[in-house]
Amino acid sequence: MNYQTILTLLENNIFIITINRPDKLNALNKTVIEELGAAINEVYNNPEIKSAIITGAGEKSFVAGADISEFLTLDATAGEALARRGQELVFDKIEKSPKPIIAAVNGFALGGGCELALACHFIIASEQAKFGQPEVNLGLIPGYGGTQRLTQLVGKNRAMQYIMTGEIFSANDALQLGMVNKVVVQTELLNEAKKILAIINTKAPLAIAKVIETINNFDHTHQGYDYEIKKFGECFSTEDAKEGASAFLEKRKANFKGK
Ligand code: COA
């Protein structure tokens, strides 16, 4: 398929999906979300594809979050719809994919970018990777599953700290936290991801699908995701969310009023 904002390549049964808006640090606008959704459908439906890698174009960024320039006009209903569409089309679809989808994080994985990596079955990172959930800087909360998946992976107290401070942390910190499986030099990132998937691709596909489904069902209820979507939407009825997005786009510090 032809895409505008992502690149795809099928190599040795591994489908490599590269988010390709490097001038905007690969931020997830509506087109990227739609196209990622279509690419994930290809993973589900193309029998030539045994597994997939998601990565970002350029040296600097995996994905620097949802596209903040699309936030200015959102109200609570539209904010909730944005989060729900992304979760259904991309994030939940990745998590539930019967074929392994792993993230190769090559730079900034912030906000929706961190959530995209967290939705994958596991994460390989380069030494240049940087993770974080900085939504609070915009008067928002994560909306693509961050409150749920980060908490599952690193535990409640650490998720509280990182989501409330918006702190950006390194690949090695993420390794220590148990968020990423391996950290490698940038030039080896894709090779390392391919090497691991080449091993998995030799295993029985139906067994792999059941591994994914069963591990996903470990102590897992999906109610929290719905709660997050609603609360994310509610943020857009606040003045602070407008201030946060405007301040980012005007390259100034936000002045939050608690309204
Ligand atoms: N949405 C929209 N545009 C974004 C973006 C986002 N999430 N992240 C980066 N960009 C754009 C910038 O506006 C800039 O565009 P411009 O060249 O047209 O001005 C371009 O990408 C490069 O980013 P810039 O901020 O100049 O790079 P930097 O190296 O100074 O800073 C970051 C890098 C990642 C620290 C900074 O871009 C950032 O904080 N991004 C937002 C992260 C975030 O809050 N994500 C969560 C969103 S919910």
Side-chain angles (χ1 to χ4, degrees), residues 21-25 27-28 60 64-69 71 108 110-112 134-135 137-138 140 168 232 248-249 251:
R21 295 182 75 208
D23 55 323
K24 294 289 177 189
L25 305 187
L28 303 173
K60 193 170 167 182
D67 191 321
I68 299 167
S69 68
F71 284 178
F108 287 115
L110 303 179
E135 289 86 352
N137 295 333
L138 303 167
L140 299 173
I168 293 177
F232 177 82
F248 176 80
L249 296 170
K251 302 188 192 293

Side-chain angles (χ1 to χ4, degrees), residues 215-228:
I215 293 180
N216 280 344
N217 277 312
F218 170 75
D219 198 18
H220 197 78
T221 71
H222 267 81
Q223 286 164 10
Y225 291 96
D226 210 43
Y227 203 75
E228 182 192 272

